[in-house]
């Protein structure tokens, strides 16, 4: 059974930082693509960042230079370091992992950035 468990969300002031974690069981992050989506109220779901099995990374333009995605193979965990947070980063952040065409999702973690 696949399970992705996110943690690290919360309330932070603009300019602050948070680190999201996504711990997986039932899938191996190091051999698959994983990443983070977010959904803000009234908006469509948006791919924020992803990391491939060979550690290539991609980011949505709005977070480039501020967010960093990484992976710890020993812990089977993917991280999203978020710096210089802005109110427009407020959203529910969802971790995902792709395994042979199937996408698995975490439960989501709320990130709120106050101005």
């Amino acid at each position: 059974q696949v399970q992705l468990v996110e943690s690290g969300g919360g309330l932070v002031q603009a300019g602050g930082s948070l680190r999201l974690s996504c711990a997986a069981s039932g899938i191996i992050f190091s051999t698959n693509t994983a990443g983070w989506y977010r959904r803000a109220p009234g908006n469509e779901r948006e791919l924020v960042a992803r990391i491939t099995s060979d550690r290539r990374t991609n980011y949505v333009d709005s977070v480039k230079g501020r967010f960093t995605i990484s992976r710890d193979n020993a812990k089977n965990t993917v991280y999203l370091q978020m710096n210089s947070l802005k109110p427009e980063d407020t959203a529910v952040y969802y971790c995902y992992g792709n395994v042979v065409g199937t996408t698995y999702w975490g439960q989501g973690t709320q990130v709120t950035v106050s101005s």
Side-chain angles (χ1 to χ4, degrees):
Q1 184 176 359
V2 177
Q3 190 172 18
L4 305 182
V5 179
E6 297 137 338
S7 60
L11 173 64
V12 64
Q13 288 187 331
S17 298
L18 286 173
R19 188 177 80 157
L20 305 183
S21 300
C22 176
S25 59
I27 62 171
I28 306 297
F29 274 149
S30 63
T31 59
N32 297 284
T33 295
W36 297 87
Y37 275 81
R38 67 186 178 187
R39 174 171 280 162
N43 289 1
E44 295 185 354
R45 186 179 62 184
E46 175 183 53
L47 176 62
V48 178
R50 65 177 181 180
I51 182 167
T52 65
S53 57
D54 58 354
R55 297 188 185 274
R56 286 179 292 123
T57 58
N58 299 97
Y59 299 91
V60 67
D61 285 346
S62 60
V63 308
K64 287 180 180 178
R66 300 188 298 122
F67 290 11
T68 302
I69 189 170
S70 62
R71 186 180 69 224
D72 185 329
N73 292 343
K75 295 181 179 180
N76 203 26
T77 298
V78 171
Y79 302 96
L80 185 67
Q81 178 67 44
M82 306 185 294
N83 298 329
S84 302
L85 282 161
K86 303 176 181 180
E88 51 264 44
D89 295 317
T90 295
V92 178
Y93 285 70
Y94 298 90
C95 169
Y96 79 94
N98 283 336
V99 180
V100 195
T102 299
T103 301
Y104 298 94
W105 296 94
Q107 79 282 2
T109 185
Q110 176 71 46
V111 171
T112 303
V113 185
S114 63
S115 57

